[in-house]
């Protein structure tokens, strides 16, 4: 789930899901995850939710579909359909800025026991 890119039919300039109802979005997300895991059953690592820290690029369409627990639900679906994959919550530059926001966003997901790994990507760090 990533709010910076999504199919145009999802709708919204930031992938908010404006073209579909919440239930239709939930069905589409589940189908997307199921279809991916069926096609690529040997996926070792799966970046399930990317850049969800507030101010980065949360997937508005997933939040519309699943409410405030959208990250947990996304991981639950990934675990259901890709049970042998290492499931990752990923974000960028959170060791340099937005650290507390990332921690606050990640804590409930980690506490739910659905995350296997945390990914920390970097974009042009100079120091």
């Amino acid at each position: 789930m990533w709010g910076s890119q999504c199919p145009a039919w999802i709708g919204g300039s930031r992938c908010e899901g404006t073209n579909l109802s919440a239930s239709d979005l939930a069905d589409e997300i589940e189908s997307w995850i199921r279809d991916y895991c069926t096609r690529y059953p040997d996926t070792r690592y799966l970046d399930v939710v990317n850049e969800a820290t507030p101010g980065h690029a949360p997937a508005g369409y997933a939040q519309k579909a699943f409410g405030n627990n959208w990250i947990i639900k996304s991981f639950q679906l990934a675990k259901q359909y890709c049970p042998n994959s290492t499931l990752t919550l990923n974000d960028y530059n959170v060791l340099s800025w937005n650290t507390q926001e990332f921690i606050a966003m990640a804590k409930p997901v980690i506490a739910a026991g659905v995350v296997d790994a945390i990914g920390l990507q970097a974009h042009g760090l100079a120091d």
Side-chain angles (χ1 to χ4, degrees):
M1 302 301 119
W2 187 31
S4 285
Q5 293 180 345
C6 66
W9 54 265
I10 293 287
S13 61
R14 302 256 326 142
C15 296
E16 301 93 359
T18 55
N19 291 345
L20 299 172
S21 69
S23 65
D24 285 343
L25 283 167
D27 289 344
E28 291 296 330
I29 291 168
E30 183 166 1
S31 293
W32 176 19
I33 294 170
R34 183 193 63 238
D35 292 350
Y36 174 88
C37 296
T38 299
R39 185 170 186 176
Y40 305 104
D42 297 325
T43 299
R44 277 184 81 179
Y45 303 99
L46 188 59
D47 185 354
V48 178
V49 175
N50 188 51
E51 300 179 6
T53 300
H56 290 200
Y61 61 92
Q63 185 167 16
K64 180 178 176 182
F66 302 124
N68 290 335
N69 289 325
W70 70 273
I71 299 173
I72 292 171
K73 180 64 176 174
S74 297
F75 275 92
Q76 289 170 334
L77 288 169
K79 182 56 84 180
Q80 176 182 346
Y81 293 110
C82 281
N84 299 317
S85 296
T86 298
L87 306 180
T88 305
L89 175 64
N90 186 56
D91 216 316
Y92 67 92
N93 292 354
V94 294
L95 297 179
S96 297
W97 34 275
N98 295 117
T99 305
Q100 294 309 312
E101 292 88 346
F102 175 79
I103 291 170
M105 179 269 304
K107 274 186 172 184
V109 184
I110 294 166
V114 294
V115 173
D116 298 316
I118 301 291
L120 302 173
Q121 67 197 55
H123 290 242
L125 296 176
D127 3 327

